[in-house]
Amino acid sequence: MKILVINGTPRKFGRTGVIGKYITQKYKADLIDLSEGKIPMYNGEEDQDEITSVKQLRQLAYDADGVVLTSPEYHSGMSGALKNAIDFLGSAQFEHKPVALIAVGGGGKGGINALGNMRTVARGIYANVIPKQLVLDPDRFDMENKQLTEQGMNQVDEVMKELKVYMQHSVQRSTRQ
């Protein structure tokens, strides 16, 4: 089963990217890293359909059996970079597809609003957002070594475990139809 991670931060060395790289390596997932700046600003004009990075984003999302959206919380919502990338996608890529949500917070309750924002937008493209979601606080990262702590890894693994359950169910349902 194929997993796609969309690293929703524009920061090149942020904590959200650490999560994306961890999932990509451990679960052999594909990665769209929005910190690379390859996805243009969505404007709805048809000529954007021919941009290589947009084609790749759409194809990877279409081919995936499950998607992980990650984002820092900026001003009580997901990053603008992630929302912009999702604007290039739609029900063709997401209808009934299991999606996991992971946010990076600054501590306390930071991150919960980003999760709610991601969930709302994902519903708009008919994604099947799984119930388990995660906010990772700063103490779950070892930024000196650019990796998750053991506790952070365990929390991400729990989300991935649930995503895989939904992915298996989704694949079984589609093969019966």
Side-chain angles (χ1 to χ4, degrees), residues 88-169:
F88 281 103
L89 304 170
S91 61
Q93 291 83 23
F94 280 97
E95 190 170 15
H96 305 296
K97 189 167 293 183
V99 174
L101 307 177
I102 301 176
V104 173
K109 293 184 179 179
I112 197 71
N113 291 320
L115 291 174
N117 188 220
M118 287 189 282
R119 188 171 292 277
T120 298
V121 171
R123 272 196 310 263
I125 53 176
Y126 302 100
N128 181 18
V129 180
I130 67 172
K132 188 177 277 301
Q133 58 187 16
L134 177 62
V135 173
L136 283 173
D137 287 328
D139 66 349
R140 298 299 190 239
F141 295 87
D142 171 3
M143 289 309 289
E144 187 175 316
N145 295 304
K146 305 272 189 277
Q147 63 187 28
L148 290 165
T149 64
E150 186 174 341
Q151 292 168 319
M153 286 183 230
N154 291 339
Q155 288 179 287
V156 170
D157 291 341
E158 286 298 313
V159 171
M160 295 305 294
K161 180 179 174 183
E162 184 160 322
L163 178 63
K164 285 184 164 191
V165 168
Y166 279 83
M167 287 168 58
Q168 288 171 343
H169 179 71

Side-chain angles (χ1 to χ4, degrees), residues 54-124:
V54 171
K55 287 181 178 180
Q56 179 187 26
L57 170 67
R58 287 179 174 160
Q59 191 64 53
L60 287 171
Y62 182 83
D63 291 343
D65 297 305
V67 176
V68 180
L69 300 177
T70 67
S71 180
E73 182 165 300
Y74 292 150
H75 305 295
S76 298
M78 73 172 116
S79 73
L82 180 59
K83 175 62 170 80
N84 182 66
I86 293 171
D87 286 342
F88 281 103
L89 304 170
S91 61
Q93 291 83 23
F94 280 97
E95 190 170 15
H96 305 296
K97 189 167 293 183
V99 174
L101 307 177
I102 301 176
V104 173
K109 293 184 179 179
I112 197 71
N113 291 320
L115 291 174
N117 188 220
M118 287 189 282
R119 188 171 292 277
T120 298
V121 171
R123 272 196 310 263

Side-chain angles (χ1 to χ4, degrees), residues 37-49:
K38 294 179 182 177
I39 304 295
M41 183 64 74
Y42 180 78
N43 64 18
E45 295 175 7
E46 288 184 27
D47 63 335
Q48 287 188 317
D49 293 342

